Amino acid sequence: MDSNSRLPIGLFDSGMGGLTVFKALAKRLPGEDLLYLGDTARLPYGTKGRDTIIRYTLSAAQKLVDMGVKMLVIACNTATAAALPALREHFAPLPVLGVVEPGSQAAAEASRNGRILVLATEATINGGAYQQAITRIRPDAVVLTRACNLFVSLAEEGWMNGPLVEGIIRRYLEGLFDAPDNKTANDAALLPDTLVLGCTHYPLLQDALRQVVGPDVHIVDSAATTAEFVARELNTLHLLHPDRATADSDATGKHLGQSHFLTTDHVARFIRTGGLFLGRKMTESEVTLVDL
Ligand code: DGL
């Protein structure tokens, strides 16, 4: 057993999106304490430059490290894509996991025809992290990409369904799923059969996305795969919480560990919007305002 094993897992996102990963972790590792930081004051990261994203991510991660965590989970694709190597170098030997690798792995495994569409923020797409990770795992893959900047605002606003949201999705996906009129089996085979939610905010729009792309496209949400990666890594490093390691098999699905949330702006808004992402009511005592 490692002496750090009683510390919480630190999760970081630019805002609320990482709460989708938080939820998956609480389910997969119910015995672990979780400390979440959402840098809501500086959201969005996805439209910012690489150097700014690295600087913001390092300062946010430093906050979690100062508070004491046994592992950092970068529950933000934008921050992972830009800053993972810098974080690993800066905080070594602390284990740092991102969401791009697990999402890429899940997509590469799910796709039958190798045509994979990644939806993410502008910064994630422009940095090429998904394109590289997917083709590393599956060299025959053709990775199509679309930056969907408005999706983050829709999710944080709680607009998840309906004609307006579907209209915006249609606009972003224009041309990608249009089979020619005289569709042949060959044409259909060239359409993407797998769609990666390459931003942790996007799972909230999953139902609306499903309406637009139809029932046959496999939608990959990297939250569950990331939780699996975290569980494996904690086990390998002997960092699972020693008193509650067997909580893994707890059948109730209830999170038995402690959870706490840090935000850099507007606690009331964090509680309101955070509830949408977590699918439960949040209370004021769970959230602390911090300055970075
Ligand atoms: N949740 C972040 C991600 O996964 C993006 C939000 C933002 O633009 O800050 O990429």
Side-chain angles (χ1 to χ4, degrees), residues 72-84:
L72 272 175
V73 178
I74 308 305
C76 173
N77 291 266
T78 308
T80 301
L84 194 63

Side-chain angles (χ1 to χ4, degrees), residues 13-18 36 39 42-48 74-80 99 120-124 149 152 156 197-202:
D13 180 48
S14 55
M16 315 286 179
Y36 181 95
D39 188 9
R42 303 192 288 200
L43 177 97
Y45 279 24
T47 48
K48 297 197 166 65
I74 308 305
C76 173
N77 291 266
T78 308
T80 301
V99 281
T121 65
E122 198 179 313
T124 302
N149 290 331
V152 170
E156 297 240 339
L197 303 173
C199 170
T200 51
H201 282 73
Y202 296 1

